[in-house]
Amino acid sequence: MPMPDIRPLVPEIVMACLAMLVLILDLVVKRKGIIAVITMISAFVVFYALFGGVRGEAFSGMFVSDGYSVFFKIIFLISLVLTTLISVRYIEIEKVNFGEYYSLMLFSTLGMMVMASAGDIIVLYLGLELMALSVYVLAGFFRHDTRSNEASLKYFLLGAFASAFLLYATSMIYGLTGTTNLRAIAQYLATHGIEDNPATMLSVMLFVVAFGFKIAAAPFHMWAPDVYEGAPTSVTAFMSVGPKAAGFAVFGRVFLIAFGNLQINWVGILIPIAILTMAVGNIIAISQTNIKRMLAYSSIAHAGYAMIGLVSGGSEGVASMMNYLFIYAFMNIGAFAVVIMLRTEGFKGENITDYEGLAKSHPLASALMLVFMFSLTGIPPTAGFVGKFYLFLAAVNAGYTWLAVVAVLFSAISAYFYLRIVMFMYMKEPKGEVKLSASSSTGIALAVTATAVLVIGVLPSGVINMARAAVLGF
Amino acid sequence: MDSYLLIPFLPLAAFLINILFGRKLIRDNAHWVSILAVLGSWVVSVITVEGVLHGNTVNRDLYAWISSGGFKVSVGFLIDPLTAVMLVVVTTCSSLIHIYSAGYMHGDKGYYRFFSYLSLFTFSMLMLVMANNFLQLYFGWEAVGLCSYFLIGFWYEKKSASDAGKKAFIVNRFGDFGFGIGVIMIFLTLGTLHYDAVFASVKNLIGQTVTIHLLGVQIDLITFIALLLFCGAVGKSAQLPLHVWLPDAMEGPTPVSALIHAATMVTAGVFMVARCNPIFSLSPVAMNVVAVVGAVTALFAGTIALVQNDIKRIIAYSTVSQLGYMFLACGVGAYTAGVFHLYTHAFFKALLFLCAGSVMHAMAGELDLQKMGGLKKHMPVTYWTMLIASLSIAGVPGFAGFFSKDEILWLAYSGPSPVGKFVWAIGTFVAFLTAFYSFRLIFRVFHGKFRGSHEQEHHLHESPKVMTVPLMLLCVGAVASGWVGVPQLLGGGAHFTEFLKPVLGHLEGEGTRSEEWMVMAISIIAGLSGIGLAAFVYLREGDLAAKIAQNFSFVHRVLWNKYYVDELYDAVIVKPTIWTAKNVIVGVTDGKIIEGVVNGVPRLIGRFSSRLRNIQTGMVQQYAAVMAIGAFFVIAAVLLWQ
Amino acid sequence: MPIENSLGFPVLSTLIFLPVVGAAIILLISRKQESLIKSVALLTSIAAFLLSIPLFTDFDKSTHLMQFVEKRQWIPSWNIMYSLGVDGISVLFVLLSTLVTILCVLISWNAVKTKMKEFYISLLILEGAMIGVFCSLDFFLFYIFWEAMLIPMYLLIGVWGGPNRVYAAIKFFLYTLVGSVLMLVGIIVLYFYGGRTFDILQLATRNYPYELQFWLFWAFFAAFAVKVPMFPMHTWLPDAHTEAPTAGSVVLAAVLIKMGAYGFLRFSIPLFPEAARAMTVPMMVLSVIAIIYGAIVCLAQTDLKRLIAYSSVSHMGFVTLGIFAMNVQGLEGGILQMLNHGVVTGALFLSVGVIYERTHSREISDYGGVATVLPIYAAFFMVFTLASIGLPGLNGFVGEFLIILGGFTASKWAGAFAATGIIIGAAYMLWLYQRVFFLQTNQKVAGLHDMNMREIITLVPMIVLVFWIGIYPNTFLSFMHPSVQHLLERVYSGGQGATYAGQIAGLIK
């Protein structure tokens, strides 16, 4: 048997090695800041490997390195780097400054990368579990904090539940088609005329449930608020971007490649889910008093928007979804970076009321938060607007004008709770003195995210073209 | 030469100088600026009128004011015989009253303000009478209204004064509403607003009708336009039913009452109707309306004047009544007679007001007849001049008012108007009323014993020269201004009529000389008997007047309360509007309905949000159950749908 | 692309971004250097105004074509251009925006004491966005500016406003956002129907099916009607105006709410001519309701700013009436009235700011006899009051007269009802003036000092405009003729909706 072509896997292999290296270094390096730096260097090394790497399939199509996967991997790596930046000071304050933290992040990123490249459901499952297990641990990283433990356990239990759905769906499709390769499934379904088979549809729907869980789409979102609230804030920031994007990556690949011909069948169920997700996320967010929980619901809502891209289908739809997730990574982690700064020794800083009068004591941080909030609302000239605009463009192009109308109305509702943060910061008088745990790494993260949000808002061509190019080989 | 431009713009310059520099720099010298300016425009006016007498009329556009698509209108001037008459009236009265005011307003803290407003008024009035198109007329029309507002409310700290100013402006706006639409109708049907073009082509509209949809009424187009224009005149000239502002306008300083609310501004309505005679003459219906409104107003105001005690209000109602006379004349087609009366009225009515002002000056602001009496010996000049003015208004032969009133009555009687005889009868009766209340005023103020307080009696004095000289000069007008229109019956040349003929045409009465003599005799008798009755009631000792009032207490009460028109408007228009604003719009539509939706929807979402929030119990079993149920529904939906 | 204008540099871009640069400079100045911050803001706004003067002087009044055009590729993937230009409809509003900003800086000089840096940054960014809205010839660009405006305005109201500012700010934001997002979908639909372009001028030459025009008309209506605001979408306005700081109210009144009417002129009518024609009746009915309703409601107001805010509803009713009269006089009157309203209501809010700074009260009953204490101020306010009630010779008259003329031409009832608004207008404004300036001097205003030089300078430009437009409006009307003519040609170039529109119009004429 010839040596398989593993060149497309190089980034993942590098990532795996570096993750283990970080794990080992933790034993010798005392200053954990160095580990954080190494983590970021690792990300850049993988970045390099990714750009210089070979596109193509490996293991007879089980692993695919194409533009699509690369685009998602870039999102993962960006979220990894940004999360690392905002974690350094935070985990010090929380006194959980362990090297494992970084290696777990690296491992989960590796899992996501595998997911994005999965050409086969088995590989997909492998990546998904690698990612999920790492994140379960990260969510419970505050060993002495019951909330964190609870979050971890809930996430684990429900995640297992969702995995079961995934496995069941896989077994059914395997039973029907005799393969787990996505392209082969599509081919089989097309040539054997079992596209309308109830069993096929059942399996498709089981996939919807499983992936819906990962992207926290309603009604499979129940875990998200509790987990987001309980997990360490840096992990929440990470979770709301990376794993979510990974979920969309597999969602897109499975549904558009394996079940691409069945689109008319599954769109009918994805649209109500998308609307429900936007509704649940946006409406419940209004009555939240904890900012992490509010951002959790916001994150649910944004999954709903991104699903519009999926529903619209076609290369434009997928590109708009990818574009959205890319932008979302910046604005959401940016927002979390501000949230994290409010956490100081002895002060949780998670209540929305803690933001009262922040603009007076910390004008810069407030101004940045303002930018992120408006971006999350989708007000130009921020990137959030460009992201939504592309989604609506795709939706209208695909004939779902009414869905775009529904989405814009929900985004108008969302203005209420995002603006509430701005209102608290700028329009209320401070109750007490609020200190910020500013650090240079958080500063860099904020600078990067804010710049990205504004630059993409004004000059979005680069990102759009990238997303479009990524879909070409799809 | 365009020297005529100086006529309006000299007062404008005076206004600008006074308003900009009056408060700090000019102060007590403000009258010089204004008086010189108005005398300047008087001089130029006289020269210009001289030119008009020699046939040099002017009709020239200064510049394009508004142009939009087919709508083009200029600022331009027309000086023809009608304008000439108005120029004489306006600049003469204005000059004399300016001078009078220098004495009357002396020491007032708003001295410079007063003179700037007077100058602005003079400018506006001149722009009004010199306009050569409807829109500029409208400009002057509103601008004089504005000055009237300023001057009525001159003592703005007094609530009654500022209320009266506001009332004048708003009531006028009701009339202007119709006037404005009339102007728009003229443009829409004739495509221009220039007088000459409009009057030349208005004949083309004969026979056209305008349909008012939703009401389903068809109206003759010219009648429609004429009546809309007349709405404006009704407001400005205080005719029924928009007369309510003029008596209240007496809150202003007396020179203002003389200038604006007697001699000039209020006659703008008559001027406008006369100016638009080519339109009105084509609509018999509109003419009859004008005549009847004028006659009824004359009667209505005349009766109110009988019982009032405030000397300025009596004169004000007399003005309303006399303005009714002028409309009566226009309505029967006797435009020249109407304008003639306008011209004579300006002098004797301004004189009456200035005399009243002189009395007030002596009485320290007191206006109540009941507190006067026997002032004759204290202020002879005022007495004699006021007596002459009253003789003039009462229509005693030889005085100015006689000639103009007689011409109106004769033409009403003899003219072709179907309502002519009717309005003649009313007019004659009003002549009697006029004489009565005018002399009631004279007798109560100047004759008998002084009824005021001791202090007031001590204060009585004749006014200074700066005030009495204008009185005497106006007195000349009150007597002699009528002599330019002595009818042929009395061997006169009727020069006034001849002068205005090219603009206003001339109505030839159809009647014999004996009929003409009869009409004249009846009017003289009416006037003299009015004076006689007043003498009988008021010159004798005793309380005859009070007894009459008691015996006819209902009539007296109605007249005393001015037929309750103010109360009616308050109950029908003012109160309901404010009530609607407060209770319906703010309270219900804005407050409950629109805001209910606007705030209700977010509130509903918020409530929904708090409700939904409770789904999240924290129980992991429940989460799994929701997921499972969700999955079940998803699968069931798809499978059933298939 | 070479610059094709007589000035030789991209004047419109400079105008848009100069204030933003000014804001950036202020950002770098230390918070403590307050007078430096104010000076930079003032200098920036003056520079922007001076730069905008050539638009006025070098404008070619003989053509309807866009002038001072700039066009560059921006987002080629969506065929989006960075495309700017002004025509006779928009050019005057650019000037108004630059002028008003100066006045806003001046009037806030002593009034704004907290978060001064943020205040001037917001104001300048707002200026840039406003100019951008009037200059954009690309829908995407337009929408960016249109929405971006909301952010600084939201802050201006919410941060520096009155006691109930937070409610007002959120209300303002959500109201306008809901309207705008519907337009956004409309824009996207149009993009696909119009051949994948956002070019407004190109889109305005295509013909769309009537059905589509109908729906898009209403989608755009949502955005513009809220902004104008037309009845019954007006209730955000009194709250926003009342609570906003003086500068905020002024910008809102003078420029922001013009954008709704501008939207009708630039988009609704030329893009959907048949739908617009068919919708004249409901539009005119709504306008007339706004005129009368807005005027009557003023009679019940006890708050100075609230009264002026409601009067805006009434005045803007005139503007929309003129626009939907769809004839030369109506449209030109409407555009001129937009300008007039900007000048007059802007000036009224500036004036209220002058006294508010002294008394900190908006209650009418707290005033009285102000004319005795502050005679110069009273004179200024009187001129604006008279302009507001449409006195001939002042600017309000010219606009209102042309609108009523146009409205009357289109429908006698509309014209006649609109004219009643002038009666009520006189009633509430004069009553307001009486209660504030006349009568006995209220203890609360006794001893206040009259306007200082800075305040006089702030109001003088408005006075000049009031008289200029009133006495010689042709200076301004002449800008509009070709553009309005062109617009009307577009509207009456036929189509399926014409017959339907004709039938409806016949019923009400």
Side-chain angles (χ1 to χ4, degrees), chain C residues 13-36:
Chain C
S13 290
T14 320
L15 270 174
I16 294 171
F17 291 107
L18 183 74
V20 180
V21 171
I25 294 171
I26 293 178
L27 192 65
L28 300 175
I29 300 173
S30 156
R31 190 165 291 282
K32 294 198 180 71
Q33 289 177 290
E34 296 190 338
S35 50
L36 184 63

Side-chain angles (χ1 to χ4, degrees), chain A residues 6 9 46 93 210 260 275 279 288 297 312 348 355 362 373 385 455:
Chain A
I6 58 159
L9 270 86
V46 177
I93 293 170
I275 294 175
Q288 299 308 315
Y297 281 107
S312 307
K348 273 231 172 304
Y355 288 79
H362 302 285
M373 288 298 123
F385 169 71
V455 169

Side-chain angles (χ1 to χ4, degrees), chain B residues 23 63-65 67-68 71 142 146 156-157 162-163 166 173 177 185 213 581 585 589-590 595 598-599, chain C residues 167 171 175 234-235 293 296 310 329 332 372 389 408 413 416 422 434 438-439 470-471 473-474 481 509:
Chain B
R23 199 170 62 92
Y63 72 93
W65 183 16
S67 75
S68 168
F71 179 79
E142 292 272 304
L146 172 72
Y156 56 78
E157 288 175 342
S162 58
D163 274 344
K166 192 180 66 184
R173 272 271 157 125
F177 167 75
M185 280 301 290
H213 285 273
I585 295 188
T589 50
D590 250 28
E595 286 287 80
V598 168
N599 293 327
Chain C
Y167 169 74
K171 196 173 182 183
Y175 237 117
H234 63 277
T235 54
Y293 186 98
I296 289 183
Y310 268 116
Q329 288 85 19
E332 292 190 354
T372 315
I389 64 180
F408 205 77
W413 281 108
I422 294 183
Q434 181 191 24
F438 292 163
L439 310 177
I471 294 169
N474 284 340
H481 299 322
K509 207 148 197 173

Side-chain angles (χ1 to χ4, degrees), chain B residues 243-257:
Chain B
H243 65 285
V244 287
W245 65 271
L246 186 60
D248 286 13
M250 298 304 125
E251 290 288 343
T254 306
V256 171
S257 311

Side-chain angles (χ1 to χ4, degrees), chain B residues 443-456:
Chain B
F443 297 146
R444 295 282 280 168
V445 172
F446 293 102
H447 294 260
K449 280 201 213 99
F450 188 71
R451 294 179 295 273
S453 68
H454 203 71
E455 246 170 80
Q456 283 173 323

Side-chain angles (χ1 to χ4, degrees), chain A residues 152-445:
Chain A
S152 176
L153 190 63
K154 275 182 185 164
Y155 195 17
F156 174 71
L157 287 173
L158 294 170
F161 193 39
S163 293
F165 276 97
L166 179 59
L167 286 176
Y168 188 36
T170 313
S171 66
M172 280 191 73
I173 205 74
Y174 182 72
L176 283 167
T177 62
T179 177
T180 51
N181 184 291
L182 297 176
R183 287 198 192 282
I185 292 170
Q187 214 161 20
Y188 190 90
L189 290 176
T191 49
H192 289 75
I194 52 165
E195 291 175 335
D196 291 342
N197 192 325
T200 316
M201 283 319 295
L202 181 62
S203 117
V204 170
M205 287 311 120
L206 292 172
F207 275 114
V208 169
V209 176
F211 296 151
F213 175 84
K214 284 294 158 202
I215 62 169
F220 318 112
H221 68 285
M222 299 292 281
W223 60 275
D226 289 6
V227 175
Y228 279 27
E229 189 186 345
T233 312
S234 54
V235 176
T236 310
F238 186 63
M239 270 198 297
S240 64
V241 175
K244 182 166 291 211
F248 272 102
V250 293
F251 213 141
R253 203 186 277 276
V254 170
F255 276 71
L256 292 169
I257 290 186
F259 307 128
N261 293 332
L262 281 69
Q263 189 170 7
I264 39 163
N265 294 324
W266 53 256
V267 151
I269 201 71
L270 283 193
I271 289 178
I273 290 180
I275 294 175
L276 190 65
T277 308
M278 289 188 281
V280 165
N282 283 318
I283 291 177
I284 305 188
I286 290 174
S287 56
Q288 299 308 315
T289 52
N290 178 298
I291 190 151
K292 280 170 76 179
R293 213 173 165 80
M294 188 208 92
L295 286 172
Y297 281 107
S298 134
S299 157
I300 292 170
H302 283 276
Y305 299 129
M307 279 180 82
I308 294 174
L310 208 56
V311 165
S312 307
S315 56
E316 279 294 279
V318 176
S320 71
M321 176 190 85
M322 291 157 72
N323 176 59
Y324 195 72
L325 292 168
F326 184 84
I327 288 167
Y328 180 68
F330 287 102
M331 57 190 186
N332 205 41
I333 295 182
F336 271 107
V338 178
V339 173
I340 249 177
M341 287 207 302
L342 255 73
R343 172 74 173 112
T344 46
E345 310 271 352
F347 184 68
K348 273 231 172 304
E350 285 182 11
N351 277 329
I352 290 179
T353 48
D354 294 337
Y355 288 79
E356 283 185 355
L358 195 68
K360 200 157 194 176
S361 46
H362 302 285
L364 184 61
S366 304
L368 293 172
M369 190 63 165
L370 178 138
V371 170
F372 298 129
M373 288 298 123
F374 278 112
S375 183
L376 285 167
T377 317
I379 304 290
T382 59
F385 169 71
V386 173
K388 278 193 183 142
F389 187 79
Y390 200 1
L391 286 173
F392 302 151
L393 208 61
V396 172
N397 192 22
Y400 296 112
T401 308
W402 67 273
L403 185 59
V405 171
V406 172
V408 293
L409 289 177
F410 277 119
S411 79
I413 291 178
S414 77
Y416 182 76
F417 58 86
Y418 292 126
L419 255 60
R420 214 151 69 96
I421 306 291
V422 177
M423 183 264 278
F424 273 104
M425 293 189 303
Y426 280 89
M427 303 172 195
K428 299 252 171 177
E429 286 306 307
K431 277 212 206 101
E433 201 183 342
V434 178
K435 279 201 194 112
L436 287 188
S437 62
S439 70
S440 53
S441 59
T442 321
I444 294 169

Side-chain angles (χ1 to χ4, degrees), chain A residues 32-44 84 88 102:
Chain A
K32 305 303 168 189
I34 295 173
I35 296 189
V37 173
I38 293 169
T39 307
M40 282 184 277
I41 293 171
S42 310
F44 285 111
T84 310
V88 179
Y102 298 107

Side-chain angles (χ1 to χ4, degrees), chain B residues 544-565:
Chain B
L544 186 57
K547 270 187 197 145
I548 297 171
Q550 244 170 21
N551 289 339
F552 297 92
S553 67
F554 174 73
V555 177
H556 184 263
R557 203 163 56 241
V558 169
L559 292 182
W560 174 251
N561 287 302
K562 303 157 270 179
Y563 295 93
Y564 297 100
V565 177

